[in-house]
Amino acid sequence: MKIENNTVVTEFILLGLTQSQDIQLLVFVLILIFYLIILPGNFLIIFTISSDPGLTAPLYFFLGNLAFLDASYSFIVAPRMLVDFLSEKKVISYRSCITQLFFLHFLGGGEGLLLVVMAFDRYIAIYRPLHYSTVMNPRACYAMLLALWLGGFVHSIIQVVLILRLPFCGPNQLDNFFCDVPQVIKLACTDTFVVELLMVFNSGLMTLLCFLGLLASYAVILCYVCRSASAGKSKAISTCTTHVIIILLMFGPAVFIYTRPFRALPADKVVSFFHTVIFPLMNPMIYTLRNQEVKTSMKRLLSRHIVCQMDSIMRN
């Protein structure tokens, strides 16, 4: 079916995060530091989990995928934002805007579903430990991974199709530093009330239900763990607490942005900045710093690398 669209706007002008040069410089340095320090750390997590035979449990399999999704997510907005800080005119083409919006919700939706899968993994590990290896077998883990990628794609393609049907005939100034649904819809040359309701249902309601469901499930799990007298009690509490922190970082800003009518608020840009740039880089690092097995494996991997480098220098 051909999508009818009377779009005449070929590009959008991004107004950016702020007009203050001092704040722009501060944000530029902050993002650059995060990229130079934390992003390589995320790739180190992925490499450590994929190369260590001792980290083959489903928990680490999903952690590696979380690090991959967050690293990929950080490439959608931040690099262009860094370039825009150095440009006088911040312009993005209509196609690039739609592409950015698609990947933003594709990876974001996939990560939200991944956190649901990780909650299910912890539930089985704590409530049904004897059935854990049977339920969370490699085939089931890959099936869940495929399902969450597919879910993210369906969620994102719905957003894109709805926007592609809207006519854009001006103005073309986007009051943000990237392309996202609330700001793009407001530039359409038509009544967008129905589309906004569909968007809120697709993004907002799904986000809110996942958020409340995850908080409730971890509350139940933590209550069960606290009442138990098992040997791995402290480890289970630490793991679940870390998951809750990541859920708050991931879903808190998303609930603020997508579960209300698309009206601009002063805090929107700041919340979006942390949601799209800062938190995705921090999530895997937060998890790793609270996981002794991954930290030990990373130290062992780095030690081997240093020893190999020293041997190579001595031979030369």
Side-chain angles (χ1 to χ4, degrees), residues 38-112:
I38 300 182
L39 188 60
N42 284 358
F43 288 117
L44 179 60
I45 294 170
I46 297 170
F47 181 71
T48 301
I49 292 174
S50 61
S51 61
D52 191 336
L55 300 177
T56 56
L59 174 65
Y60 303 113
F61 172 74
F62 293 128
L63 174 59
N65 280 277
L66 176 66
F68 174 77
L69 276 171
D70 276 326
S72 302
Y73 193 83
S74 68
F75 280 111
I76 300 172
V77 175
R80 185 179 187 92
M81 190 178 180
L82 289 172
V83 173
D84 284 343
F85 279 139
L86 305 175
S87 307
E88 286 188 19
K89 193 176 182 182
K90 303 170 179 61
V91 177
I92 184 171
S93 69
Y94 176 79
R95 289 186 178 182
S96 297
C97 181
I98 297 300
T99 302
Q100 186 182 63
L101 191 149
F102 169 77
F103 281 105
L104 189 75
H105 286 271
F106 175 40
L107 297 176
E111 183 172 345

Side-chain angles (χ1 to χ4, degrees), residues 141 178 256:
C141 290
F178 69 104
F256 177 82

Side-chain angles (χ1 to χ4, degrees), residues 163-174:
I163 288 179
L164 287 176
R165 296 181 67 89
L166 296 174
F168 295 92
C169 50
N172 67 337
Q173 288 189 334
L174 203 63

Side-chain angles (χ1 to χ4, degrees), residues 3-12 94 98 160-172 183-193 195:
I3 298 176
E4 293 184 3
N5 188 337
N6 298 319
T7 297
V8 294
V9 169
T10 59
E11 63 182 23
F12 293 108
Y94 176 79
I98 297 300
V160 171
V161 168
L162 289 173
I163 288 179
L164 287 176
R165 296 181 67 89
L166 296 174
F168 295 92
C169 50
N172 67 337
Q183 293 78 28
V184 173
I185 281 183
K186 286 302 181 185
L187 298 181
C189 305
T190 186
D191 182 17
T192 59
F193 177 75
V195 177

Side-chain angles (χ1 to χ4, degrees), residues 19-30:
Q19 300 301 315
S20 169
Q21 293 295 326
D22 293 335
I23 296 178
Q24 285 190 30
L25 179 61
L26 177 64
V27 173
F28 180 87
V29 173
L30 179 64

Side-chain angles (χ1 to χ4, degrees), residues 94-286:
Y94 176 79
R95 289 186 178 182
S96 297
C97 181
I98 297 300
T99 302
Q100 186 182 63
L101 191 149
F102 169 77
F103 281 105
L104 189 75
H105 286 271
F106 175 40
L107 297 176
E111 183 172 345
L113 294 174
L114 175 59
L115 293 177
V116 172
V117 170
M118 292 175 75
F120 177 73
D121 171 75
R122 290 301 85 201
Y123 171 82
I124 298 297
I126 293 170
Y127 271 83
R128 300 286 185 269
L130 297 179
H131 300 90
Y132 182 74
S133 58
T134 304
V135 176
M136 300 300 294
N137 59 73
R139 186 175 179 179
C141 290
Y142 280 109
M144 291 178 191
L145 188 65
L146 178 63
L148 69 88
W149 279 100
L150 183 61
F153 176 80
V154 171
H155 161 70
S156 184
I157 205 68
I158 290 173
Q159 312 266 41
V160 171
V161 168
L162 289 173
I163 288 179
L164 287 176
R165 296 181 67 89
L166 296 174
F168 295 92
C169 50
N172 67 337
Q173 288 189 334
L174 203 63
D175 189 19
N176 211 338
F177 55 93
F178 69 104
C179 286
D180 200 8
V181 172
Q183 293 78 28
V184 173
I185 281 183
K186 286 302 181 185
L187 298 181
C189 305
T190 186
D191 182 17
T192 59
F193 177 75
V194 175
V195 177
E196 286 188 36
L197 285 181
L198 292 173
M199 292 291 193
V200 169
F201 178 80
N202 183 37
S203 289
L205 185 61
M206 187 189 81
T207 301
L208 184 61
L209 289 177
C210 286
F211 179 60
L212 295 178
L214 285 168
L215 288 182
S217 64
Y218 276 113
V220 172
I221 291 172
L222 285 170
C223 288
Y224 178 82
V225 171
C226 290
R227 288 198 304 266
S228 68
S230 59
K233 180 178 177 179
S234 60
K235 180 181 176 181
I237 291 175
S238 176
T239 301
C240 290
T241 303
T242 306
H243 283 197
V244 171
I245 292 172
I246 294 175
I247 288 166
L248 291 173
L249 293 179
M250 167 71 185
F251 283 97
V255 168
F256 177 82
I257 295 168
Y258 299 114
T259 56
R260 57 184 172 81
F262 295 154
R263 293 195 182 99
L265 295 177
D268 281 352
K269 289 185 181 181
V270 177
V271 173
S272 295
F273 172 68
F274 280 95
H275 180 54
T276 58
V277 180
I278 303 298
F279 291 156
L281 291 170
M282 290 177 61
N283 286 347
M285 298 302 294
I286 291 171

